[in-house]
Amino acid sequence: MDKTIKLFNCLYPKFIWEMPPVEKVIYLTFDDGPIPEVTPFVLEILEKYNAEATFFCVGQNIEKHPDVFKQVIEKGHAVGNHTHSHIKGWRSPVETYISDFKNCDEQLGLLTDLKSKKLFRPPYGRITRKQAKVVRNTHEIIMWSVLTKDYDIRLSPEQCLERAIKATESGAIVLFHDSLKAQKNMRYALPQYLAHFSALGFKFKALHFDT
Ligand SMILES: [Zn+2]
């Protein structure tokens, strides 16, 4: 876990940053989809490694691509709320933020029957305490312990992979993106990441919290 993440971890102890390191398990997460250009690639590569993951979906994308969203569900992955319009928490009044958040929940709810606690990840990792208080009434707020920075065009695909591998330990929650911006790095890093940790005996599971 890097220093910035550790600092935020102290500021927001009620959020989930990583899972207990009791077994060789990694929790992969994918933000900003589902989109037809990238999400099916992710699903295919996850299937190849028998890996489960958690997709934090943008409501507008579910609305535009319900068939891609359906594929995510059918493959047995977990899904979470990433707001309807990828709204910035620190710049939005509580009412606006919560209405956008609820909109996404509606999109998720159309096709899913969630038996475990609902999951939420704030876009940009930014959310005010007031907003978080409302969200936590119904959702577990999931952050991450490994930021791959797959979206960072200054990073080469090799650097992206290296930083992801270095930062990962048992129980890690790893953040990738199924987005157009991140796909160049992600398409390279994800398969190699899966190959690397599968060979070391790690399993990849979806995030579930009992209600
Ligand atoms: Zn996002």
Side-chain angles (χ1 to χ4, degrees):
M1 198 184 273
D2 74 28
K3 277 183 196 154
T4 321
I5 297 174
K6 265 191 188 145
L7 170 70
F8 277 99
N9 194 338
C10 295
L11 289 173
Y12 299 105
K14 287 176 181 164
F15 298 178
I16 309 275
W17 294 84
E18 59 195 339
M19 299 297 279
V22 284
E23 39 182 351
K24 281 185 158 185
V25 176
I26 293 169
Y27 298 86
L28 295 176
T29 63
F30 296 88
D31 286 12
D32 298 357
I35 57 168
E37 297 89 342
V38 186
T39 310
F41 166 83
V42 173
L43 294 175
E44 201 175 302
I45 195 78
L46 289 176
E47 191 161 26
K48 192 177 159 195
Y49 286 94
N50 209 3
E52 281 179 7
T54 306
F55 288 78
F56 288 93
C57 301
V58 170
Q60 282 174 346
N61 284 337
I62 302 176
E63 207 168 36
K64 274 188 247 167
H65 314 293
D67 49 327
V68 185
F69 179 65
K70 220 173 142 191
Q71 284 175 40
V72 175
I73 302 291
E74 282 170 359
K75 298 284 180 192
H77 301 293
V79 291
N81 182 324
H82 197 46
T83 75
H84 192 67
S85 63
H86 209 261
I87 192 170
K88 279 199 174 82
W90 292 354
R91 293 201 189 138
S92 315
V94 180
E95 299 75 39
T96 315
Y97 193 83
I98 294 304
S99 134
D100 203 85
F101 153 76
K102 283 188 176 162
N103 246 333
C104 178
D105 237 17
E106 240 166 68
Q107 293 299 327
L108 288 165
L110 290 176
L111 293 163
T112 51
D113 172 26
L114 296 167
K115 286 183 194 76
S116 61
K117 202 163 180 188
K118 292 198 272 190
L119 310 176
F120 176 75
R121 175 172 284 159
Y124 314 99
R126 289 174 185 178
I127 185 166
T128 66
R129 282 176 193 276
K130 279 186 181 169
Q131 292 160 355
K133 204 174 166 219
V134 181
V135 169
R136 290 191 71 250
N137 287 332
T138 48
H139 292 61
E140 201 70 66
I141 297 182
I142 311 294
M143 306 302 270
W144 55 84
S145 59
V146 178
L147 182 62
T148 66
K149 287 204 174 175
D150 51 358
Y151 53 80
D152 189 341
I153 49 168
R154 290 166 306 177
L155 278 187
S156 71
E158 291 81 6
Q159 287 171 321
C160 174
L161 173 67
E162 199 189 319
R163 71 173 273 131
I165 287 179
K166 263 192 187 163
T168 298
E169 27 190 45
S170 291
I173 298 178
V174 185
L175 171 52
F176 281 102
H177 291 81
D178 49 338
S179 70
L180 293 175
K181 202 173 157 196
Q183 69 167 330
K184 184 170 155 268
N185 284 341
M186 188 277 292
R187 279 176 186 267
Y188 173 85
L190 180 63
Q192 306 232 30
Y193 182 93
L194 283 160
H196 177 89
F197 284 104
S198 295
L200 293 175
F202 279 82
K203 300 249 179 307
F204 300 89
K205 291 190 183 170
L207 288 161
H208 288 290
F209 298 86
D210 294 336
T211 44

